């Protein structure tokens, strides 16, 4: 979890729009042009004022654009960190500046609270890539294999699962299950994350969507049974991108998200969740980094590490995360929209795998 308190006074605590603009200029120097800050400071101030009036908290994912990321959330982080925060808050209203599946996870953990998402169409290609019926079929085809769902799934898919995980703890969750004696684990929906995690654990990988594997003898070897969904942002990074980046910036550390392809992951210096990226850059003595992940992540890390250079590939942005704007966050607080609602039985059944995810580090 990151609590935002990097300038002498937090932008969130500014008492006037002018002070908000001044604190934003200090925090986002070299990242966001002054003209953009002038346009956004009033919005940021009003969101923070209304948030206090409504006794709400705002959670902001690492992929939010920098003015929003540094200006309005009470807490920022990756999916796992934000899920942990949401499980502990007393605030009656949670505004989730992230995508739908994240807000659903917060709702499962807080069924009695009002959970809002500023843009109702903020989906995710991974979450869209599998249905609860797909999970039921996999369970029929691989009886006895526990189902681990990446947190990037909708709540009805989580409700069919035994465990959830994020990119930050996928290895720990799968290792835990293998060590418990399971030889096969279903890990869905991200094919690349499943392949990368299997490789890290020395396990075999089987394409769970391919019915030709039915009848194959999987006994005696640790096997990850994967699914075919991909992150439409991270799948764009290629081996050629890594080679080109190395030629142009031979001194840079290349860090890639494990939703990138195994061929890319094999070539980069570091692979990890957005939390790991933040921590790695903070602690590394290196001066230049290249991030293979959503573009705003590079801006947000650069703002925190002004003495380090972040090379960004901003042709790769998440269209869903970009739907979350300051304007819509303000409207969300004004109108209490868009409220996340889930069937009671889905909340009840999705809770256990999510609780297990929060326990395993
Ligand atoms: S970056 Fe990829 S995994 Fe994350 S919300 Fe966007 S499409 Fe989904």
């Amino acid at each position: 979890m990151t609590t935002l308190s990097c300038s002498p006074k937090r932008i969130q605590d500014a008492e006037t729009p002018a002070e908000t603009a001044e604190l934003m200029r200090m925090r986002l120097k070299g990242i966001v042009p002054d003209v953009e800050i002038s346009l956004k400071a009033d919005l940021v101030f009003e969101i923070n004022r209304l948030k206090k009036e409504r006794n709400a908290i705002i959670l902001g994912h690492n992929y939010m654009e920098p003015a929003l990321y540094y200006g309005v959330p009470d807490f920022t982080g990756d999916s796992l960190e934000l899920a942990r925060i949401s499980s502990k808050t007393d605030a009656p209203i949670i505004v989730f500046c992230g995508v739908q599946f994240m807000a659903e996870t917060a709702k499962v953990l807080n069924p009695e609270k009002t959970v809002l998402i500023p843009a109702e169409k903020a989906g995710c290609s991974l979450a869209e890539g599998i249905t609860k019926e797909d999970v039921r079929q996999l369970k029929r085809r691989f009886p006895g294999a526990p189902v681990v769902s990446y947190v990037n799934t909708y709540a009805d898919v989580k409700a069919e699962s035994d465990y959830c995980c994020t990119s930050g703890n996928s290895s720990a969750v799968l290792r835990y299950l293998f060590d418990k004696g399971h030889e096969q684990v279903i890990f869905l929906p991200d094919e690349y994350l499943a392949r990368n995690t299997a490789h890290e654990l020395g396990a075999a990988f089987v394409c769970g969507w391919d019915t030709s594997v039915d009848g194959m003898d999987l006994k005696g070897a640790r096997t990850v049974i994967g699914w075919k969904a991909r992150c439409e942002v991270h799948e764009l990074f290629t081996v050629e991108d890594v080679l080109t980046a190395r030629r142009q910036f031979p001194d840079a550390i290349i860090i890639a998200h494990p939703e990138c392809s195994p061929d890319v992951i094999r070539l980069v210096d570091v692979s990890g969740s957005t939390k790991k990226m933040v921590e790695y850059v903070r602690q590394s003595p290196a001066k230049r980094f290249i991030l293979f992940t959503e573009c705003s992540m590079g801006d947000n890390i650069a703002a925190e590490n002004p003495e380090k250079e972040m090379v960004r590939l901003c042709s790769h942005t998440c269209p869903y995360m970009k739907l979350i704007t300051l304007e819509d966050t303000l409207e969300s607080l004004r109108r209490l929209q868009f409220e996340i609602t889930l069937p009671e039985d889905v909340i009840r059944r999705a809770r256990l795998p999510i609780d297990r995810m929060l326990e395993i580090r």
Side-chain angles (χ1 to χ4, degrees), residues 142-163:
F142 302 97
V147 177
V148 179
S149 284
Y150 192 26
V151 72
N152 298 36
T153 46
Y154 291 125
D156 58 347
V157 165
K158 291 185 174 80
E160 296 293 331
S161 309
D162 300 297
Y163 289 79

Side-chain angles (χ1 to χ4, degrees), residues 221-255:
R222 291 181 166 188
T223 305
V224 174
I225 299 160
W227 192 246
K228 58 189 170 187
R230 307 254 183 93
C231 163
E232 68 180 64
V233 180
H234 291 106
E235 74 170 345
L236 297 176
F237 293 100
T238 64
V239 165
E240 191 52 37
D241 293 337
V242 183
L243 300 177
T244 305
R246 284 245 189 266
R247 273 197 299 274
Q248 191 178 1
F249 304 101
D251 61 326
I253 305 276
I254 304 182
I255 311 175

Side-chain angles (χ1 to χ4, degrees), residues 127-156:
E128 300 291 338
I130 190 155
T131 65
K132 64 181 179 188
E133 195 43 53
D134 293 327
V135 187
R136 287 175 182 164
Q137 273 192 31
L138 280 168
K139 289 200 281 195
R140 283 194 291 272
R141 288 176 50 219
F142 302 97
V147 177
V148 179
S149 284
Y150 192 26
V151 72
N152 298 36
T153 46
Y154 291 125
D156 58 347

Side-chain angles (χ1 to χ4, degrees), residues 260-292:
C260 294
S261 77
D263 290 343
V264 166
I265 295 299
R266 260 193 294 279
L267 289 177
V268 299
D269 301 301
V270 181
S271 161
S273 64
T274 54
K275 180 185 180 203
K276 186 170 171 184
M277 291 180 184
V278 171
E279 290 172 353
Y280 188 90
V281 173
R282 201 180 279 153
Q283 289 162 13
S284 168
K287 291 288 174 220
R288 185 182 269 166
F289 302 85
I290 302 176
L291 296 185
F292 278 24

Side-chain angles (χ1 to χ4, degrees), residues 43 46-47 50 326-335:
L43 269 173
E46 181 57 14
I47 290 168
L50 193 54
L326 285 167
E327 288 82 354
D328 285 343
T329 304
L330 180 56
E331 281 309 294
S332 180
L333 277 165
R334 276 189 181 142
R335 298 166 186 257

Side-chain angles (χ1 to χ4, degrees), residues 202-215:
F205 177 88
V206 158
C207 304
W209 62 93
D210 180 356
T211 47
S212 70
V213 303
D214 290 356

